[in-house]
Structure formats: C-alpha cells, structure tokens
C-alpha cells in the first residue's frame, strides 16, 4: 500500500498505526522511512539521495504467551 503511492508521496520518518481496520484490530503497524545512499552501501543519509528505505513492522500479541510478536518487511524505492 505504501510503496504503490510513489517515491514523492512517502514521507521520511516513523509513523505508528495503533488502530488497524477490521478484522485486524489486534495488530499495530509501524512504518519507518529514511533516505539511504547507494554509493555508501545503503547507509542512512540526511539528504535526499533519490533512494528511500522503507521498513514496515507488524506487531501483535501471541495467543500462547501474551508477548508481542512481530514481522518486519524492508524494501527500497527510488525516484524514476
């Protein structure tokens, strides 16, 4: 969903969604976007290099031990 919005529409920063729509109310989603520098082995950059790293983390409570569980997906998006 975030990736399909395009490079310029993806804001740099951390955004947390504590209430995801039905039927996924028990999940939270954290979106983290940062500029990365392809000439520096994809290290974080303070300036727009034309490449952003996007990390999406989905968090939920385990049924068996009530501890938080999570899965993280990371991708890169570049200007066209």
């Amino acid at each position: 969903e975030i990736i399909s919005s395009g490079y310029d529409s993806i804001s740099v920063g951390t955004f947390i969604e504590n209430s995801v729509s039905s039927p996924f109310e028990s999940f939270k989603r954290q979106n983290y976007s940062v500029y990365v520098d392809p000439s520096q082995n994809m290290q974080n950059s303070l300036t727009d290099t034309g490449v952003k790293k996007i990390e999406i983390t989905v968090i939920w409570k385990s049924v068996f031990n009530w501890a938080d569980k999570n899965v993280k997906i990371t991708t890169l998006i570049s200007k066209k």
Side-chain angles (χ1 to χ4, degrees), residues 3 5 7-8 10 12 16 20-22 24 30-32 35-37 40 42 48 53 57 59 61-62 70 76 80:
I3 301 301
S5 58
Y7 184 90
D8 291 327
I10 299 172
V12 172
I16 299 173
V20 182
S21 61
S22 180
F24 306 106
Q30 177 178 343
N31 306 325
Y32 171 71
Y35 298 119
V36 292
D37 190 343
Q40 298 294 320
M42 296 301 176
D48 189 350
K53 176 172 70 173
T57 305
I59 305 159
K61 293 278 187 195
S62 170
N70 68 73
L76 299 172
K80 294 188 179 190

Side-chain angles (χ1 to χ4, degrees), residues 2 13-18 20 28-33 54-59 71-73:
I2 291 171
T14 301
F15 308 95
I16 299 173
E17 292 180 64
N18 287 315
V20 182
K28 292 188 281 186
R29 182 169 61 187
Q30 177 178 343
N31 306 325
Y32 171 71
S33 304
I54 296 102
E55 294 179 350
I56 308 295
T57 305
V58 178
I59 305 159
V71 63
K72 183 186 295 188
I73 300 168

Side-chain angles (χ1 to χ4, degrees), residues 63-74:
V63 174
F64 299 109
N65 63 9
W66 300 102
D68 283 350
K69 299 286 187 176
N70 68 73
V71 63
K72 183 186 295 188
I73 300 168
T74 304

